Amino acid sequence: MPSRDPVADLRRIAFLLERANESTYRVRSFRSAATTVAALPVTELAERAAAGTLGELSGVGEVTARCIAESLAGEEPVYLRRLESTEGTDLNGAARKLREALRGDCHAHSDWSDGGSPIEEMALAAVELGHEYLVLTDHSPRLTVARGLPPARLRRQLDYVAKLNDALPEGFRILTGIEVDILDDGSLDQEDALLARLDVVVGSVHSKLRDESPRMTRRMVNAIANPHLDILGHLTGRKVAAEGAGDRGHRKGHTRPPSTFDLDKVIAACLEHGKAIEINSRPDRLDPPKRMLTVAVEAGCLFSIDTDAHAPGQLDWLRYGCERAALCGVPPERVVNTWSMERLLEWAAGHSGKAVGSGRGTN
């Protein structure tokens, strides 16, 4: 029986564990083993499997060694088979149609800030999921705990993405972006000239989440009026009890109440300036709450259903956002990432009054 690809099997296991919101430690063990195995010739792996010495390799433990040996023997690893058989039920009805309509994800992080994987791995996972584009939105400099990108690093990232796009499969593109902090006065935490170069800008509140309602409302409305902002990220900043251990300290049972603000004024600002409200699909966010989402739908807002992924497997969390959007009657045509990449870029560029290609976007 011909052998399977142990690297592909290990990475698939890591992907499924990420999607299930399992612990970072467990995921890292499979990704580390995949990196080690990828660097070795198949003959050496086969010899080690026969001798029972795979576990002596750096980054390979008892469980991952067993998976490698099973792959080399042409068998689907038992660990992988168990994950595949328990990965969950299919989406139904409107949620399934909405998920099928999505062409990309407008909010994702890499190891340039607080994500756990290189940009290449995030992009290839998006390709495998059938995305046409992935907006790279690493954090802005003020969020030091998340290794936010100061201007010089963001410029380097733009150059890096431009080169990387040349090597990615035809029909897919990484779009440049940022999750920029909304500061105390509603200004955005990055140079205007740099924000103008980006394809898509997500703006989020990460600090002083307990501001009094009038102050938080002014802060959010001022940010929405900024011509560089396109999508208002995780509207209330809340945390809910998520299944699985999560990542970056997002423990099961760890919660945070939503910020308070005048929802009607925030919605009115989004409508006035043509900005989208994010439907954040993270199991520990699921933001905005359904009552707020329903009000925004009835008002006629635009939306973006995003994962806020920090690892490749989390890019498959779009289903959670689609389920909430379907429950609240979000029309697919008002979800900006159901649009073609060209239409998305035209919409985003239009906020600053510039034509596509006049400064926004990759080189």
Side-chain angles (χ1 to χ4, degrees):
M1 181 180 294
S3 65
R4 295 166 59 94
D5 181 355
V7 175
D9 282 342
L10 291 168
R11 287 176 175 163
R12 177 63 179 169
I13 289 170
F15 179 93
L16 292 172
L17 289 172
E18 289 164 347
R19 185 168 68 180
N21 207 21
E22 293 292 345
S23 68
T24 300
Y25 174 80
R26 183 177 297 182
V27 173
R28 189 176 293 127
S29 68
F30 285 94
R31 291 208 177 274
S32 296
T35 299
T36 296
V37 171
L40 295 175
V42 175
T43 52
E44 180 179 343
L45 292 173
E47 290 171 359
R48 284 186 173 275
T53 60
L54 285 169
E56 297 177 1
L57 293 169
S58 174
V60 177
E62 180 181 349
V63 174
T64 50
R66 188 181 308 122
C67 292
I68 296 165
E70 290 167 345
S71 288
L72 291 169
E75 304 168 4
E76 182 180 25
V78 172
Y79 199 107
L80 175 57
R81 186 163 65 247
R82 185 168 67 248
L83 287 175
E84 295 279 16
S85 67
T86 59
E87 61 177 318
T89 57
D90 292 335
L91 293 174
N92 293 315
R96 184 185 70 251
K97 292 180 181 177
L98 185 52
R99 176 63 188 91
E100 291 171 350
L102 295 181
R103 299 191 180 197
D105 192 331
C106 294
H107 187 171
H109 299 271
S110 76
D111 61 2
W112 281 62
S113 65
D114 64 340
S117 295
I119 299 171
E120 296 91 329
E121 288 189 17
M122 297 297 290
L124 291 174
V127 171
E128 291 175 3
L129 289 170
H131 291 1
E132 297 175 15
Y133 51 82
L134 176 68
V135 185
L136 180 62
T137 54
D138 282 321
H139 288 285
S140 62
R142 178 166 172 174
L143 204 62
T144 54
V145 69
R147 297 180 59 241
L149 276 63
R153 286 192 69 218
L154 180 55
R155 290 187 185 93
R156 289 199 296 273
Q157 186 181 80
L158 295 181
D159 293 339
Y160 184 80
V161 168
K163 294 176 182 177
L164 185 57
N165 270 326
D166 291 337
L168 288 171
E170 186 176 354
F172 176 84
R173 180 175 162 192
I174 301 170
L175 300 181
T176 58
I178 192 171
E179 184 183 13
V180 64
D181 258 28
I182 295 174
L183 302 180
D184 297 356
D185 61 356
S187 58
L188 303 183
D189 179 38
Q190 191 51 271
E191 295 177 356
D192 283 348
L194 265 175
L195 292 175
R197 290 182 59 188
L198 302 175
D199 291 314
V200 177
V201 173
V202 177
S204 305
V205 175
H206 289 108
S207 61
K208 297 185 179 179
L209 295 170
R210 302 271 62 81
D211 265 352
E212 294 181 355
S213 178
R215 180 176 297 175
M216 181 64 78
T217 302
R218 288 194 299 272
R219 185 178 177 186
M220 295 172 74
V221 168
N222 286 344
I224 293 164
N226 189 303
H228 297 302
L229 185 140
D230 304 309
I231 299 168
L232 184 60
H234 44 72
L235 183 65
T236 74
R238 74 173 187 171
K239 290 289 182 63
V240 297
E243 291 300 321
D247 70 310
R248 298 188 303 125
H250 296 227
R251 304 176 303 278
K252 183 176 181 179
H254 177 60
T255 62
R256 181 170 67 209
S259 298
T260 58
F261 52 88
D262 189 321
L263 179 62
D264 290 337
K265 289 183 178 179
V266 170
I267 287 176
C270 288
L271 292 171
E272 178 184 354
H273 298 286
K275 307 301 176 68
I277 293 174
E278 178 182 70
I279 300 174
N280 190 293
S281 303
R282 287 191 67 85
D284 59 345
R285 286 194 183 275
L286 299 177
D287 201 2
K290 285 183 282 188
R291 61 179 178 81
M292 289 188 172
L293 181 53
T294 299
V295 172
V297 171
E298 293 174 351
C301 287
L302 293 173
F303 301 95
S304 181
I305 301 176
D306 302 322
T307 60
D308 193 356
H310 287 70
Q314 296 175 7
L315 289 169
D316 209 15
W317 282 351
L318 287 171
R319 60 180 292 124
Y320 302 126
C322 289
E323 287 171 342
R324 294 178 70 78
L327 282 173
C328 296
V330 175
E333 63 272 14
R334 279 203 261 139
V335 178
V336 299
N337 49 327
T338 66
W339 300 348
S340 68
M341 181 172 62
E342 291 75 17
R343 183 182 176 191
L344 176 71
L345 293 175
E346 288 174 0
W347 166 74
H351 297 140
S352 56
K354 298 192 308 182
V356 177
S358 64
R360 263 175 120 94
T362 53
N363 296 335

